[in-house]
Amino acid sequence: MADTKNNVRIENIKGLTETDVLNRIKAEGYNEIPSAKKRNIFSIAFDIVKEPMFLLLIASGVVYLLLGNKEDALVLLGFVFVVLGITFYQERKTERTLEALRDMSSPRALVIRDGIQKRISGRDVVRDDIIILKEGDRVPADAKVISCVNLLVDESLLTGESVSVRKSASFTNIKIGRPGGDDLPFVYSGTLVVQGTGVGVVQSIGIASEIGKIGKALKSLESEDTPLKKQTTRLVKNFLLAGLVLCLAVVIIYGLFRGTWLNAFLSGLTLAMAILPEEFPVVLTIFFALGAWRMSQKNVLTRRSQAIQTLGSATVLCVDKTGTLTMNLMTVKRIFASDYFHDIDLSKKEELPETFHELVEYGILASQKDPFDPMEKAIKSLGVFTLSNTEHLHDNWEHIREYPLSKALLALSNVWKSPDGHDYLIASKGAPEAIADLCHMGENEVSKLKQHINLMASDGLRVIGVARALFHKSGLPEEQHDFDFRFLGLIGFEDPVKPTVQAAVNECYHAGIRIIMITGDYPSTAQNIAKQIGLKSSGHIITGPALDKMNDAELKEKIKTANIFARVVPEQKLRIVEALKANGEITVMTGDGVNDAPALKSAHIGIAMGGRGTDVAREASALVLLDDDFSSIVQAIKMGRRISDNLKKAMSYIIAVHVPIAGMSILPVLFNWPLVLLPIHIAFLELIIDPVCSVVFEAEPDEKDIMNRPPVSIKEPLFGRNRILISFIQGFIAMLVVVGVYLYMFYNGHGAEEARAIAFSTIVVTNLGLILTNRSWTRPFWQTLFSSKNHALRWIFLVTIIALGLILYVPVLNRVFLFAPPGPPFLIASLIAAIISIVWFEVFKILGGQRSPVKIE
């Protein structure tokens, strides 16, 4: 950090101790603004109780009371509380999951505590903390600036002014003022550092900050329904409308032909409960919440739930090279000076030839004193390793000024003054062409330099140039070009490819996903990395300058085959994304910088880097990669496909299981049979259906071929007509089997109560069969039965079988359910009938060659 008249040296700052921090948190709380009110027990319970299914259960209990069946009414209302408890547990689990994800996604801050720099959650910043601000960071709290270099901050969030304001440093004990205006020594929570660096002392946190006084954004935020939720809501409404019509018809028919209007109303309520697929909204909420939690276990944080569904449709994955494909652990591999190359091996204690001393010396001077950038760290490590006992390390030099990197000139310069010197010494480093420009090289010199650069880049090295200058006048110029630079040489860095990348790239290709590598490096470096990771390349590489010369139509055509973009600046990523989208590609884009934000926001799925990414990049993205690893992106895509798959299975099961239940509710009324299903039976079935569709199917492992399929079109609905049709056929055949069993029992001398018991047992066992057959639409159920580690499924099966045995054979319970205990042979018959109801679909799978038998979307 700069060490000017009004600045402090960052290495001299100790900051707060952990004891100080704990005391302040106890006294003043966390650095957070009260957000949308947390749902307490009563609000969750109220939301659950007002669901149609619970209202129907309560209404049925009231009807039983009116009919004088107190025992039935109490049991049914008892079911209300059981279902309420299960749903409440699931809702609380979802709430806790979302709270954990919100904590993970909170803005982060770089602070100094006990003399050590550490990155913490923004909510853990306390008053008097020392915060370090860098380009692209969100300011975590209101603070006074005590040191800064070219610090510009966008305060439009608070002032509405789009022009960034310049900050100055101050040590005077002044009260923090209102935002707005240049050269004030204050920064404010929520504002954005757009240029330079700074150090500040936190003055106000949380509700006491400027944004805390003004904003009520989090309180008023209402989440917009996703297209998927709209689709399911529409489906539920259609079912509800159809159910109301049928219920009204049942009440009228029953009342007119049987004359008991209370019983008619009870039959109508039973049918309403049977038809209404109220599980859909529950499934969506739990699937996406738990899906986001599962993704976080794979080091991917989900910021927008829509991304989970879209991931399964991704066709193109655009990735940065540095830090995503490579380890971002730069080491200096080769240096060039005075027409000589020298290879570096830090594992060996070798003396650095004198020819290269000045190059390394000024490479260090052109870097931060306490570097964060991997390349600057590598240069400093090389200097410490090779120049420790020489006069080329200058810890006592005074840093005067920094000329930052800019869009116009990809080079930065530091101005220094030695304790015993009168001249300014300027060290510059940056892109070799920018350094050549600063040194005013001739055409022949540039041509020769390019040969040396290409030689290094062809070995996969990232190359920068270094130059130096002296300045004798008193006032420093405004532009770097005003110095008389002398070229010192080139530094080549090696950034090893991550060991997991090659396998992940191969997995993407098997999944029908194209990979495009985007890098600021030279084409030869990019090509070298592409070979290492197995990236398919047409041999045609598009460079940033060439991209600028193309119009949109040309780029749209070229991008169909080009998979490597080199010498690209972040702003050009947006054009790449737009061209891919224009070609109908579902695009995933990764990024970490402020300038990556437009591309991240424009892409179908923007993925920001969690480790090195800026807050702005994270805010513009749908996903955040917590470990900055390419293989985690592939795992996220795999998880997205799994979630979509399992969601389809759950929806298919819900539709299928409601058909026999609805059928056995309406057919007895239409054909004047004794009623088979009553509200208490529906309530029991809901105790199975709810956890199955929301927990069992969510926990289902991914299909073996999930990454060997082409991406599903984003235009196709999650559950299309074919899937709904097949689900209805499953349910209809199950209903025919149950009807057959019931009629056989009823017309062969068995009473209505025994026939009802066997029919109900068949429905329960058929329900279990539908679970097994819908766990995979490509593999027979016996394969998934023994190969899967779905513990939730085993518990559901065990509890269901025990509960069925109790209500069939415990006298108190079978009286409540209006059952007569059936003999074992009939139970075996109901089991066989249930198996028959799903056999056709299993045969369908096998005949389909263990592929989906029909286009199920």
Side-chain angles (χ1 to χ4, degrees), residues 513-710:
I513 300 169
R514 178 180 162 207
I515 298 172
I516 293 177
M517 182 172 71
I518 302 171
T519 178
D521 276 342
Y522 285 91
S524 50
T525 307
Q527 207 158 26
N528 184 281
I529 296 295
K531 286 178 185 176
Q532 291 184 52
I533 66 173
L535 182 72
K536 293 177 182 177
S537 173
S538 63
H540 180 60
I541 300 175
I542 297 177
T543 64
L547 181 63
D548 279 337
K549 293 176 183 177
M550 293 181 192
N551 59 37
D552 291 342
E554 287 174 319
L555 178 58
K556 184 179 171 183
E557 189 59 35
K558 294 275 188 184
I559 209 168
K560 289 178 180 177
T561 54
N563 291 333
I564 300 175
F565 286 79
R567 304 306 281 167
V568 168
V569 294
E571 290 85 347
Q572 292 174 319
K573 286 185 177 182
L574 180 59
R575 284 197 69 198
I576 294 171
V577 169
E578 294 297 337
L580 288 167
K581 287 168 66 178
N583 285 337
E585 304 281 7
I586 305 303
T587 309
V588 179
M589 170 64 77
T590 67
D592 55 11
V594 177
N595 295 335
D596 289 333
L600 292 173
K601 196 166 185 179
S602 177
H604 292 98
I605 305 171
I607 302 181
M609 301 298 108
R612 68 182 190 278
T614 59
D615 288 336
V616 161
R618 284 190 286 272
E619 286 173 18
S621 65
L623 303 174
V624 177
L625 209 59
L626 299 178
D627 61 356
D628 296 3
D629 194 334
F630 176 77
S631 60
S632 295
I633 302 175
V634 181
Q635 288 301 311
I637 292 173
K638 188 176 183 179
M639 183 66 68
R641 289 189 175 193
R642 169 191 160 174
I643 291 167
S644 291
D645 260 13
N646 289 348
L647 199 49
K648 290 175 183 177
K649 294 170 186 176
M651 297 298 189
S652 298
Y653 163 76
I654 292 169
I655 293 170
V657 79
H658 274 274
V659 175
I661 297 172
M664 294 310 293
S665 299
I666 193 171
L667 289 177
V669 176
L670 296 178
F671 294 102
N672 204 22
W673 305 333
L675 294 179
V676 179
L677 295 179
L678 300 170
I680 196 168
H681 302 125
I682 307 293
F684 179 88
L685 291 169
E686 283 296 327
L687 289 178
I688 305 171
I689 296 170
D690 275 354
V692 164
C693 63
S694 60
V695 176
V696 171
F697 281 107
E698 192 282 328
E700 194 63 28
D702 48 81
E703 300 277 2
K704 289 180 179 178
D705 68 338
I706 199 165
M707 290 300 279
N708 290 322
R709 313 174 195 161

Side-chain angles (χ1 to χ4, degrees), residues 142-146 170-174 185-186 199-203:
D142 290 5
K144 181 174 71 176
V145 179
I146 58 173
S170 173
F171 277 108
T172 55
N173 189 19
I174 54 175
F186 306 116
V199 177
V201 180
V202 174
Q203 306 290 297

Side-chain angles (χ1 to χ4, degrees), residues 675-747:
L675 294 179
V676 179
L677 295 179
L678 300 170
I680 196 168
H681 302 125
I682 307 293
F684 179 88
L685 291 169
E686 283 296 327
L687 289 178
I688 305 171
I689 296 170
D690 275 354
V692 164
C693 63
S694 60
V695 176
V696 171
F697 281 107
E698 192 282 328
E700 194 63 28
D702 48 81
E703 300 277 2
K704 289 180 179 178
D705 68 338
I706 199 165
M707 290 300 279
N708 290 322
R709 313 174 195 161
V712 177
S713 172
I714 194 73
K715 295 179 182 177
E716 293 182 2
L718 187 68
F719 33 98
R721 291 179 183 176
N722 286 338
R723 178 172 282 273
I724 292 175
L725 178 62
I726 291 176
S727 300
F728 265 115
I729 293 172
Q730 285 187 53
F732 184 73
I733 292 175
M735 183 189 74
L736 292 180
V737 169
V738 174
V739 169
V741 169
Y742 175 74
L743 292 179
Y744 175 82
M745 293 293 294
F746 186 67
Y747 288 111

Side-chain angles (χ1 to χ4, degrees), residues 332-477:
V332 178
K333 186 68 177 175
R334 186 178 300 164
I335 52 181
F336 170 83
S338 303
D339 287 330
Y340 288 100
F341 286 103
H342 181 73
D343 288 331
I344 303 293
D345 187 351
L346 294 181
S347 64
K348 300 175 183 177
K349 187 64 179 175
E350 293 179 343
E351 190 173 327
L352 185 69
E354 183 69 32
T355 306
F356 303 97
H357 282 199
E358 193 177 29
L359 170 65
V360 177
E361 174 188 4
Y362 277 85
I364 295 170
L365 290 172
S367 305
Q368 293 282 342
K369 267 200 165 184
D370 185 19
F372 183 73
D373 179 82
M375 286 200 297
E376 293 189 348
K377 283 183 176 179
I379 297 171
K380 187 170 183 178
S381 296
L382 177 62
V384 170
F385 191 77
T386 60
L387 302 178
S388 290
N389 298 318
T390 70
E391 72 280 7
H392 296 288
L393 296 182
H394 309 289
D395 290 333
N396 61 337
W397 281 20
E398 181 185 6
H399 184 265
I400 304 300
R401 179 172 175 179
E402 180 186 80
Y403 291 88
L405 203 74
S406 68
K407 296 177 186 177
L409 184 67
L410 296 176
L412 62 85
S413 299
N414 280 329
V415 181
W416 300 89
K417 218 172 192 181
S418 65
D420 53 353
H422 300 288
D423 294 333
Y424 293 109
L425 296 100
I426 301 94
S428 183
K429 68 174 172 61
E433 57 263 44
I435 296 298
D437 184 27
L438 283 177
C439 294
H440 305 291
M441 283 186 173
E443 199 172 311
N444 289 336
E445 289 178 296
V446 171
S447 177
K448 192 175 179 181
L449 180 64
K450 281 183 178 177
Q451 292 176 14
H452 300 313
I453 293 167
N454 290 334
L455 200 62
M456 297 174 77
S458 63
D459 289 334
L461 302 181
R462 188 170 185 177
V463 185
I464 65 166
V466 178
R468 62 159 290 181
L470 291 174
F471 193 73
H472 310 289
K473 298 177 184 178
S474 57
L476 290 171

